[in-house]
Amino acid sequence: MDAFVIEGGRPLRGSLRVNGSKNAALPIMAAALLTDQPIDLRAVPDLADIDNMKRLLASLGCHAIESAPGAVRLQSIDESSSHARYEIVRTMRASISALGPMLARRGEARISMPGGCAIGQRPVDLHLRGMEALGAEITLEQGDIVARAPRRAGGKRRLRGAPVFLGGPFGSTVLGTANVMCAAALAEGRTIIECAACEPEIADLADLLIAMGARIEGAGAPRIVIDGVDELAGAAHEIMPDRIEAGTFMIAAGIAGGSLTLENCPLDALMALTNHLAEIGVHVEEHPGSDPRRARCDVSYEPRRDGRLKPAQVTTQPHPGFPTDLQAQLLALLCLADGNSVVTEKIFPERFLHVAELSRMGAQVFRQGPTAVISGVARLVGAPVMASDLRASACLVLAGLAAEGTTTVHRVYHLDRGYEKMEERLAALGARIERVDAKELESAPAQG
Ligand code: EPZ
């Protein structure tokens, strides 16, 4: 298994282009199951999760052809199988995104119930309730969700539009909203999704569905109205930039110090982060004339000029609130603030596996349930640490950039799920970071 070895203490300088969004691309790829026509996608990121989704779709008769970096054509050529098998689904929870499109187009779907993961139990009850509201019959058989659309006159199975409420104990559900929106696009009649997720990735998916011929209004707002159509056609679409990748690099500039220019940055989807960065003392400045959805912006923090980082009170919320996917990264930054910060995790209350690892680097973090109190320290000290999930691994890499001495982040396969060549991109910005095979570290002679 690979690890990153980081020599901390070097500022980041230079520019980098933000890649297409993993969390937009995954449900968008699954939407290719809604038609037998080609779907041409651009700006598809080169990530482990994307490869897993290609494997899942191929097992469902939907094949991917890559014509150029980031350019992927998806087309369903064999719609006979509707069984998303455990072997693939267990590798990626977002496989659940195939449920709605498959049920809508093929009339039935069998998909392994996704398990929990390091950040929480990850139920799919809201997804299933949404499918049932559209008339589906849902059963659980040997760990699989088995869903069937009702038979209509003439024997064809087809969902029917209906009001769907997607509010859960932690707000709405992003992939649940994607599933219901896709299923409703081919249902008979009107669907109103109340308490829909407002994340920008939902609006990006709706843009593709509308290009395919779907009739959708309100995506990106809590109420979405969908009037089902009989067929959807092929379409072309460019994936929106990844706001979580962009936010991660913004925080990297803050924790390592220095100045970065980000290209293709979805600044208008990051106001909750830039608001906190401003109060902490990290400067974000948009270049005049940028498109705020694909902006060019400078992010900088120079300790000599700006003094110490300042503490903050942060609570994760559904969009447009502060995103849970940036909580671990911002918590790493707050470990170096001059004072006490408070981070409250309202989306995944268990999402604090990074705290124990940060403590190994000298951070002072006290967790009480969904809240962590961070008592800022003057410096972090490099140490061997273990990644547990995608965003926790990003947090530990950022901490390593700032720490004195050497930090080894083990199990960076977690990181490869959501960040393309992160070590190469950070090294190009001046960081001392390299990817090694962890076995090499075991056999390396102890430092004398
Ligand atoms: C998406 O996951 C993202 N993944 C996650 O990013 C992100 O953390 C999450 O949204 C929240 O923003 C992708 O888009 C591929 P949810 P999703 O359903 O849709 C509860 C990353 O790091 N819930 O919005 O699966 C759930 O337990 C990943 O890139 C139910 O109770 O998340 C959670 O507390 C991690 N019942 C809350 O809702 C359900 O049926 C939000 O979950 C579904 C969810």
Side-chain angles (χ1 to χ4, degrees):
M1 272 191 264
D2 289 351
F4 282 173
V5 177
I6 306 164
E7 292 302 327
R10 297 164 67 94
L12 299 179
R13 298 205 186 283
S15 66
L16 83 155
R17 181 176 174 75
V18 178
N19 288 326
S21 163
K22 166 181 83 81
N23 289 353
L26 292 171
I28 279 174
M29 290 170 74
L33 296 168
L34 285 165
T35 177
D36 59 4
Q37 299 302 304
I39 299 292
D40 288 313
L41 300 178
R42 296 185 310 283
V44 178
D46 178 15
L47 300 168
D49 271 7
I50 299 296
D51 293 342
N52 286 331
M53 182 56 83
K54 287 177 183 173
R55 262 195 294 280
L56 173 68
L57 293 176
S59 74
L60 297 169
C62 180
H63 296 281
I65 300 165
E66 186 149 9
S67 54
V72 177
R73 164 167 286 195
L74 291 168
Q75 187 163 9
S76 286
I77 50 179
D78 173 4
E79 300 181 299
S80 56
S81 165
S82 300
H83 186 179
R85 298 183 181 286
Y86 173 74
E87 295 68 37
I88 298 181
V89 174
R90 72 185 179 86
T91 63
M92 182 184 62
R93 191 184 170 288
S95 305
I96 192 71
S97 307
L99 173 63
M102 215 163 23
L103 185 57
R105 167 83 183 172
R106 303 182 186 184
E108 60 184 4
R110 183 178 188 120
I111 184 164
S112 175
M113 174 76 96
C117 68
I119 66 175
Q121 188 215 343
R122 311 296 295 274
V124 292
D125 57 309
L126 296 173
H127 296 244
L128 303 184
R129 212 184 298 165
M131 296 304 115
E132 286 175 331
L134 298 180
E137 180 201 319
I138 305 267
T139 54
L140 291 184
E141 296 171 24
Q142 291 94 37
D144 286 348
I145 298 162
V146 180
R148 289 187 185 84
R151 284 202 189 283
R152 319 297 290 165
K156 184 176 182 306
R157 289 185 182 277
R158 187 178 185 188
L159 297 170
R160 60 172 184 273
V164 180
F165 182 74
L166 280 182
F170 301 94
S172 186
T173 162
V174 177
L175 291 183
T177 300
N179 259 330
V180 173
M181 199 162 66
C182 286
L186 283 179
E188 186 177 11
R190 170 165 286 196
T191 295
I192 294 175
I193 305 177
E194 189 61 279
C195 200
C198 300
E199 272 65 11
E201 293 77 23
I202 292 297
D204 207 38
L205 170 62
D207 287 348
L208 167 68
L209 295 174
I210 291 164
M212 293 166 69
R215 294 169 55 200
I216 300 173
E217 288 191 10
R223 171 172 285 208
I224 306 176
V225 179
I226 304 116
D227 288 312
V229 295
D230 295 338
E231 284 282 320
L232 289 172
H237 180 75
E238 177 167 340
I239 306 287
M240 70 171 279
D242 192 319
R243 63 192 169 103
I244 305 304
E245 177 188 83
T248 302
F249 280 106
M250 286 179 169
I251 297 169
I255 202 166
S259 176
L260 292 184
T261 296
L262 297 185
E263 308 276 357
N264 196 41
C265 179
L267 214 46
D268 69 327
L270 281 165
M271 289 176 73
L273 172 66
T274 54
N275 172 57
H276 279 307
L277 289 179
E279 72 174 312
I280 293 167
V282 180
H283 307 289
V284 180
E285 195 169 340
E286 185 178 359
H287 284 213
S290 283
D291 168 356
R293 292 166 303 166
R294 285 176 163 72
R296 170 181 290 177
C297 62
D298 296 330
V299 186
S300 65
Y301 165 64
E302 304 287 355
R304 259 193 283 280
R305 178 192 69 198
D306 301 321
R308 284 213 43 200
L309 297 163
K310 297 166 190 64
Q313 325 301 324
V314 184
T315 299
T316 64
Q317 307 267 14
H319 192 78
F322 187 81
T324 175
D325 292 348
L326 287 173
Q327 177 259 105
Q329 299 92 310
L330 197 73
L331 195 149
L333 182 66
L334 292 170
C335 288
L336 291 169
D338 183 15
N340 293 333
S341 299
V342 181
V343 171
T344 303
E345 175 55 71
K346 293 268 193 184
I347 309 296
F348 294 111
E350 297 304 312
R351 196 174 198 171
F352 287 110
L353 288 177
H354 41 287
V355 166
E357 299 305 302
L358 288 169
S359 304
R360 291 174 47 75
M361 301 174 72
Q364 298 286 318
V365 186
F366 312 93
R367 189 199 156 183
Q368 287 291 328
T371 297
V373 176
I374 302 101
S375 178
V377 294
R379 64 195 182 92
L380 293 174
V381 181
V385 289
M386 188 77 75
S388 54
D389 62 271
L390 169 54
R391 308 303 176 182
S393 41
C395 151
L396 296 173
V397 171
L398 299 191
L401 295 176
E404 289 178 5
T406 306
T407 298
T408 305
V409 182
H410 290 274
R411 298 188 181 172
V412 291
Y413 64 84
H414 288 293
L415 194 89
D416 293 334
R417 298 188 53 176
Y419 295 94
E420 202 175 311
K421 303 186 182 69
M422 190 175 208
E423 78 281 12
E424 292 176 20
R425 298 166 84 194
L426 287 171
L429 296 169
R432 288 271 299 278
I433 178 172
E434 63 171 334
R435 181 186 291 257
V436 300
D437 181 329
K439 283 199 290 296
E440 282 174 34
L441 297 171
E442 284 149 23
S443 56
Q447 299 297 327

